[in-house]
């Protein structure tokens, strides 16, 4: 049994590593092609394939060998051939040749917030800039501001961006950190000496980015666990190996801490290492006022007798508090809520009855309407809104009016086959144009079941104009949701400047819900902004923005952000049952 289990784990983790490797290669090919000024559709094909790999549970190597890959959406002949090269040699020829034709660090340039491929390629062509350091030197020497399309403002923004990059370089997006944590925990749980393995730290709190992983294991025999853990990376990447604590750098960059604890103090350790620091400081102060002592081993009375430690509930109970969900342990305000019995209901995925932001093959998604509906039903949803892009989004294959109407007819036919058990909503993610008008005329929008509006262009407007633009868009009679309201891309692009209080007030006035976009890269609105919107009386909506079926899973990232914001299902559009939603929209 043990052997079988270990074998399974090995296969599972190899799938993870293979898929991640090829995913990185495809992403780099896309970046290189973009840098070369290649056709955007070619670039998108590689980005799409990379996204496909992200959600894959099986090894891409197995799928290739069994011939199943060929029938997967997004994997045309040319891509399958590249996968074949990867399976045979661990490399992709196109990737190798592209890489050889550029300086080794050039892609890192595009990690600078505010610097896309277009500008990076100008920098390379005109000034032979091929690394972040070289760009910084050129900016400081005043060489960049004279390039066409740059100027002094861009120079300042790029310097800012470089500073941000250096600061944020070490933090990973929550979705990515979770995948790594799952991978490591699976391997740890398979060790005979391990009774239980869990992640604590900011990951457990569901924070949008994670500085390092804090893993905890219950074991009576730490030595083999430390050996197995530190063997997961090359020796050079082991930062520290102690009897019960080790640290390593995953991919040479991202720190992972592992601590072994005894069962009798597991709850205390989970509490302590989940943090946040601020939350812990308040709890410790509370313990002191009760003449107790709280640390990572337990809660102790003044004589040093243990009062609690095995589980977290015991620690909180010993301090006279109900258990506080990890996502709320941030500011200290949650302790007041706990004391007053006002803790929010912890949102659960089962509280949600539908997905309200998805893309199909009709625009830039990977699945047919039938596939989207089947996936939604499999997940127990009552409804799903198909919200493909509108006509201005040419790069995303946005729908013309004619195609939109065609799609509507197809959705109607499909709905007939569901016999009322499930409902596809005919929707649109309709662009908000520069002047606040919408990309489809009102008589068209009036026909749709569900209208999501979003800004996808002219991000740099002055704040007053941006506020007016968004508020005007929300004032159109058929709008249901403002998608990814702030426009931020985590680690890459700050949200646009606007008067958020005015936007929340307008959203409330027009009964437009604000989205918590669940994409790993967005999580927009942020937890704090969502809370503020909630306090201003707005409704919210969790939208996966899924472009492929595995991305339906991103909903759980949105659930975590909603929990952090203290928002329960009663103020979420997709917390409504179908009849209620129908009555509202
Ligand atoms: P991160 O890794 O920057 O995303 O954030 P955290 O919260 O995971 O922080 P980390 O990894 O430095 O530490 C994990 C938890 O351990 C932290 O949330 C609370 C606890 N902790 C660490 N250092 C201290 C400390 O000096 N005092 C207290 N009370 N708790 C600490
Ligand atoms: Ca951490
Ligand atoms: Ca840590």
């Amino acid at each position: 049994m043990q052997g079988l289990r270990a074998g399974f784990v090995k296969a599972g983790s190899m799938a993870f590593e293979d898929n991640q490797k090829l995913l990185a290669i495809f992403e780099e090919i896309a970046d290189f092609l973009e840098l070369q000024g290649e056709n955007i559709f070619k670039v998108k094909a590689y980005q799409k394939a990379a996204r496909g790999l992200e959600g894959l549970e099986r090894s891409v190597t197995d799928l290739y060998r069994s011939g199943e890959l060929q029938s997967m959406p997004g994997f045309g002949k040319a891509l399958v051939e590249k996968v074949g090269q990867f399976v045979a040699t661990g490399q992709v020829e196109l990737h190798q040749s592209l890489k050889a034709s550029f300086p080794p660090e050039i892609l890192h340039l595009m990690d600078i917030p505010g610097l896309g491929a277009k500008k990076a390629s100008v920098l390379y062509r005109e000034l032979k800039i091929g690394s972040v350091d070289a760009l910084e030197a050129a900016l400081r020497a005043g060489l960049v501001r004279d390039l066409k399309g740059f100027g002094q403002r861009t120079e300042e923004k790029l310097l800012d961006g470089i500073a941000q990059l250096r600061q944020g370089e070490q933090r990973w997006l929550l979705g990515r950190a979770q995948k790594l944590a799952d991978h490591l925990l699976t391997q740890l749980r398979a060790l005979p000496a391990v009774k239980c393995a869990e992640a604590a730290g900011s990951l457990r709190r569901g924070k949008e980015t994670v500085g390092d992983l804090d893993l905890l294991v219950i074991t009576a025999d730490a030595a083999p666990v430390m050996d197995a853990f530190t063997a997961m990376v090359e020796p050079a990447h082991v930062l520290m190996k102690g009897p019960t604590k080790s640290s390593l750098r995953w991919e040479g960059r991202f720190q992972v801490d592992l601590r072994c604890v005894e069962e009798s103090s597991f709850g205390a350790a989970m509490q302590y290492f989940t943090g946040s620091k601020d939350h812990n400081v308040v709890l410790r102060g509370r313990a002191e006022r009760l003449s107790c002592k709280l640390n990572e081993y337990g809660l102790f009375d003044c004589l040093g007798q243990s009062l609690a430690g095995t589980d977290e509930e015991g620690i909180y109970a010993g301090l006279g508090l109900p258990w506080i969900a990890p996502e709320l342990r941030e500011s200290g305000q949650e302790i007041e809520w706990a004391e007053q019995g006002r803790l929010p209901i912890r949102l659960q995925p089962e509280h949600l009855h539908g997905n309200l932001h998805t893309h199909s093959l009709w625009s830039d998604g990977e699945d047919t309407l039938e596939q989207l509906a089947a996936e939604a039903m499999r997940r127990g949803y009552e409804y799903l809104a198909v919200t493909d892009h509108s006509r201005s989004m040419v790069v995303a294959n946005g729908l013309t009016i004619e195609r939109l109407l065609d799609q509507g007819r197809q959705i109607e036919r499909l709905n007939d086959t569901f016999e009322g058990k499930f409902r596809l909503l005919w929707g649109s993610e309709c662009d908000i144009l520069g002047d606040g008008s919408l990309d489809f005329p009102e008589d068209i929008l009036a026909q749709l079941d569900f209208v999501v509006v979003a800004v996808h262009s002219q991000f740099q407007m002055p704040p007053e104009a941006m506020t007016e633009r968004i508020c005007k868009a929300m004032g159109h009679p058929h709008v249901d949701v403002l998608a990814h309201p702030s426009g931020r891309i985590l680690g890459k692009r700050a949200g646009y400047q606007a008067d958020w209080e005015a936007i929340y007030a307008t959203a409330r006035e027009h009964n437009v819900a604000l989205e918590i976009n669940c994409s790993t890269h967005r999580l927009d609105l942020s937890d704090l902004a969502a809370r503020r919107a909630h306090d201003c009386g707005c409704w919210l909506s969790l939208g996966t923005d899924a472009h492929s079926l595995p991305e339906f899973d991103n909903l759980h990232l949105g659930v975590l952000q909603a929990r952090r914001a203290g928002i329960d299902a009663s103020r979420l559009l997709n917390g409504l049952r179908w009849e209620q939603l129908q009555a509202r929209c």
Side-chain angles (χ1 to χ4, degrees), residues 201-202 211-215 245 247 255-259 273:
S202 51
D212 69 7
L213 289 187
D214 305 280
L215 306 181
K245 181 186 170 207
S247 296
Q255 185 169 331
V256 184
D257 298 339
L258 174 69
R259 289 179 183 79
F273 291 109

Side-chain angles (χ1 to χ4, degrees), residues 250-276:
W250 190 260
E251 292 179 1
R253 293 198 303 129
F254 188 68
Q255 185 169 331
V256 184
D257 298 339
L258 174 69
R259 289 179 183 79
C260 291
V261 302
E262 284 173 23
E263 194 157 7
S264 59
S265 54
F266 184 66
M270 280 299 277
Q271 196 292 310
Y272 181 89
F273 291 109
T274 295
S276 65

